[in-house]
Amino acid sequence: MPEFQLTAHELIEQVNNKNTTVQKIAESLKKRILETDPKVKAYVRLEHAQSASKPAGESSGILKGIPVSIKDNICTDGINTECCSKILSGFKPPYDATVIKKLKDAGATILELKTNMDEFAFGSSTENSCFGPTRNPWNLECVPGGSSGGSAAAVGADEAILAIGSDTGGSIRQPASFCGVVGMKPTYGRVSRYGLIAFASSLDQIGPLTKDTRDAAILMNVISGHDPMDSTSVDAPVPDYTKALTKDVKGLKIGVPKEYFVEGLDPQVKTIIEEAINKLKSLGAECKPVQLPHTKYAVPVYYIIATAEASSNLARFDAVQYGYRTAERVKNLIEMYCKTRGEGFGDEAKRRIILGTFALSHGYYDAYYLRALKVRTMIKQDFDQVFKEFDCILTPTSPTAAFKIGEKTNDPLKMYLSDIYTISVNLAGIPAISLPCGFTKNSLPVGLQLLAKPFGEEMLFRVAHTYEQNTEWHKIKPKL
Ligand code: GLN
């Protein structure tokens, strides 16, 4: 098999056994990207494809010479980081995000072309990118999910060995599910957010998108840990996540929330998830119904908190020190701000700024924002209750498989409902993983989501890896 088709752990082994070299890996990946990406469009600024074949750094770390693809909202020193927004066009950060620093310290090669995303991570389809949409490798007429759609499509299309995304309401897991790859949203505070361009700071986490669970565990080992540069990162020891890949779920208690199996769930997805439950039962896990009664409030609560935080985070883009500035003649500073922001932000970004500013405005703050915070606590308490008795929770990642490009762009509410199963996790700050568990009749992948208590990533890896190693889904590749 050519190098680009292999997982990172297979490549690491092949390099160690002298069956390949880091140079060959880089050449193979670059060739694949140049051949396939004109169809998939997982990357932006393809002119930097050359960087895929740059020689690896000096480090002899675990990821020596392994290329890693990075979402366009994570700062890379001297390399364009634009959040796929016109307002950040030309922005080259003068520093590396902590995750980038950690990846480099582990020997990884950071690609200079970035992966496509919804502008500022606002979206579920990667259609809100100023560079145009990414396509789903399983059906080029479908979306890859979002907002980390470029990272997911790149991994799914074998145009990336490992990828990094960010997840505020499902942006790693939902595209992972749509593209047939593994995606993990870590516990809030597990991975440093320093250098991640903020969307909603109380919800954002960086995480891995990979071809299998072992690669996700390896990547989590590298990027996790306390960082003095992020005051919300937690100073707790990082276990070796690969030790959790035990292939044993005997006696584990898995909760299946009935609130996730209601109207709106595609019957094909439902059947596939039920088969996954049966598989886990046959492997010795105990699966039982549980209740998460405040689930129905997750979408409205999220769209108040996330937009409120986004509107204040996006206030910093004023065109004074970096990014896009209007070319029009202006009379004063305020007019310069207005014209620049009017031209620089896309429609969805503007919608979020307006919604969020409204939710925080005098007279509405108590009615919307404060109330949403209270319901957020209730959602968190639902999980606390279940995790007193259960080791993890199992749900579909998304109510449907990938939808057609353009299908939901005129109906923001429909688009927002695409994240109905992923949002609660961010509101509660808990970790979750999505992994492939089957295909619809149209050959589109379906994802299984597992949730655990805070810092329960090892439990997620244990259950996910056991399921994966007893099924073949992760080995099936799209024909491109
Ligand atoms: N789709 C959700 C939104 O548009 C989640 C996005 C994300 O996780 N960044 O807000």
Side-chain angles (χ1 to χ4, degrees):
M1 253 202 275
E3 280 82 354
F4 70 81
Q5 281 187 342
L6 300 177
T7 61
H9 62 86
E10 286 165 342
L11 289 170
I12 293 166
E13 197 182 297
Q14 293 221 357
V15 171
N16 287 343
N17 296 339
K18 307 223 178 324
N19 288 330
T20 189
T21 64
V22 298
Q23 203 55 44
K24 278 191 190 146
I25 296 172
E27 287 300 338
S28 165
L29 185 67
K30 186 184 87 181
K31 190 159 167 277
R32 174 68 174 180
I33 293 172
L34 291 175
E35 274 170 15
T36 313
D37 209 51
K39 281 189 271 186
V40 178
K41 299 188 190 298
Y43 290 96
V44 297
R45 299 181 292 274
L46 204 58
E47 63 274 17
H48 295 303
Q50 196 52 35
S51 66
S53 60
K54 260 195 187 166
E58 291 301 293
S59 162
S60 55
I62 171 90
L63 294 181
K64 182 167 177 60
I66 303 293
V68 184
S69 305
I70 309 292
K71 189 175 177 179
D72 202 31
N73 60 350
I74 297 173
C75 288
T76 38
D77 189 3
I79 300 170
N80 292 57
T81 303
E82 302 175 357
C83 287
C84 293
S85 176
K86 186 172 168 186
I87 206 147
L88 274 175
S89 57
F91 176 55
K92 291 187 173 132
Y95 69 100
D96 275 330
T98 298
V99 290
I100 302 296
K101 191 178 169 301
K102 283 176 178 280
L103 286 165
K104 285 182 177 171
D105 289 347
T109 304
I110 302 296
L111 299 197
E112 286 180 24
L113 58 174
K114 293 282 195 61
T115 58
N116 199 13
M117 58 184 281
D118 287 295
E119 180 179 13
F120 286 103
F122 301 151
S124 312
S125 66
T126 315
E127 291 167 292
N128 300 330
S129 161
C130 75
F131 297 101
T134 292
R135 291 166 184 278
N136 190 308
W138 293 89
N139 178 342
L140 298 173
E141 279 165 27
C142 289
V143 302
S147 64
S148 311
S151 291
V155 174
D158 279 329
E159 290 183 40
I161 306 299
L162 298 170
I164 295 285
S166 67
D167 190 314
T168 306
S171 274
I172 290 176
R173 292 159 285 151
Q174 184 256 23
S177 152
F178 280 17
C179 293
V181 304
V182 174
M184 174 178 267
K185 181 252 171 231
T187 307
Y188 186 77
R190 177 79 295 185
V191 177
S192 169
R193 291 180 297 111
Y194 179 68
L196 167 67
I197 299 177
F199 161 3
S201 310
S202 78
L203 302 162
D204 298 340
Q205 269 292 289
I206 295 174
L209 289 118
T210 57
K211 296 177 187 179
D212 67 8
T213 51
R214 181 169 296 276
D215 273 7
I218 291 171
L219 212 36
M220 279 297 289
N221 280 352
V222 172
I223 65 173
S224 299
H226 179 239
D227 177 14
M229 300 302 279
D230 172 4
S231 62
T232 63
S233 83
V234 174
D235 197 357
V238 180
D240 177 354
Y241 291 114
T242 61
K243 293 230 168 81
L245 308 173
T246 56
K247 289 191 221 170
D248 166 32
V249 291
K250 275 186 210 79
L252 289 184
K253 292 183 76 176
I254 301 178
V256 183
K258 65 176 181 34
E259 292 81 0
Y260 284 63
F261 293 81
V262 289
E263 206 198 313
L265 175 60
D266 180 316
Q268 284 191 58
V269 174
K270 182 165 181 256
T271 307
I272 290 168
I273 298 294
E274 282 165 355
E275 282 162 10
I277 295 173
N278 287 336
K279 183 85 206 178
L280 282 163
K281 279 186 185 161
S282 76
L283 294 166
E286 215 183 294
C287 298
K288 279 195 184 156
V290 294
Q291 287 184 15
L292 296 167
H294 296 92
T295 299
K296 57 179 176 291
Y297 301 117
V299 172
V301 163
Y302 171 84
Y303 276 97
I304 289 172
I305 295 175
T307 57
E309 293 186 23
S311 76
S312 70
N313 274 324
L314 265 53
R316 73 185 59 142
F317 301 111
D318 60 4
V320 173
Q321 302 188 60
Y322 52 83
Y324 172 80
R325 186 186 292 198
T326 182
E328 280 194 45
R329 281 180 73 91
V330 288
K331 288 195 283 297
N332 54 40
L333 185 64
I334 298 293
E335 201 182 312
M336 191 280 279
Y337 289 158
C338 292
K339 283 228 152 67
T340 296
R341 288 170 65 88
E343 293 165 17
F345 287 124
D347 288 348
E348 185 60 27
K350 285 179 188 157
R351 180 179 294 125
R352 305 239 177 168
I353 292 170
I354 293 168
L355 282 172
T357 306
F358 178 76
L360 290 174
S361 61
H362 184 69
Y364 294 98
Y365 181 93
D366 289 0
Y368 293 107
Y369 185 68
L370 206 62
R371 226 159 158 201
L373 289 183
K374 288 179 185 163
V375 183
R376 179 180 187 171
T377 303
M378 296 164 101
I379 290 170
K380 161 103 181 41
Q381 287 166 346
D382 282 356
F383 286 114
D384 293 344
Q385 207 55 38
V386 172
F387 289 129
K388 274 186 196 157
E389 220 190 302
F390 288 82
D391 298 296
C392 71
I393 293 174
L394 180 155
T395 78
T397 306
S398 179
T400 65
F403 44 89
K404 288 265 161 67
I405 292 179
E407 192 180 316
K408 300 192 182 187
T409 37
N410 293 326
D411 189 345
L413 207 58
K414 249 195 195 159
M415 191 71 93
Y416 294 174
L417 286 172
S418 179
D419 305 304
I420 192 154
Y421 299 150
T422 47
I423 276 172
S424 300
V425 161
N426 302 70
L427 291 169
I430 61 177
I433 194 168
S434 177
L435 71 156
C437 70
F439 290 88
T440 63
K441 294 194 183 81
N442 295 330
S443 307
L444 288 169
V446 171
L448 173 71
Q449 182 177 231
L450 299 165
L451 287 51
K453 64 180 183 212
F455 299 95
E457 282 85 354
E458 289 165 286
M459 180 57 68
L460 297 181
F461 280 124
R462 180 172 165 191
V463 179
H465 184 71
T466 307
Y467 175 82
E468 175 191 83
Q469 294 302 307
N470 285 284
T471 54
E472 297 289 313
W473 309 118
H474 63 294
K475 293 187 188 153
I476 306 172
K477 303 268 187 175
K479 289 182 194 69
L480 274 162

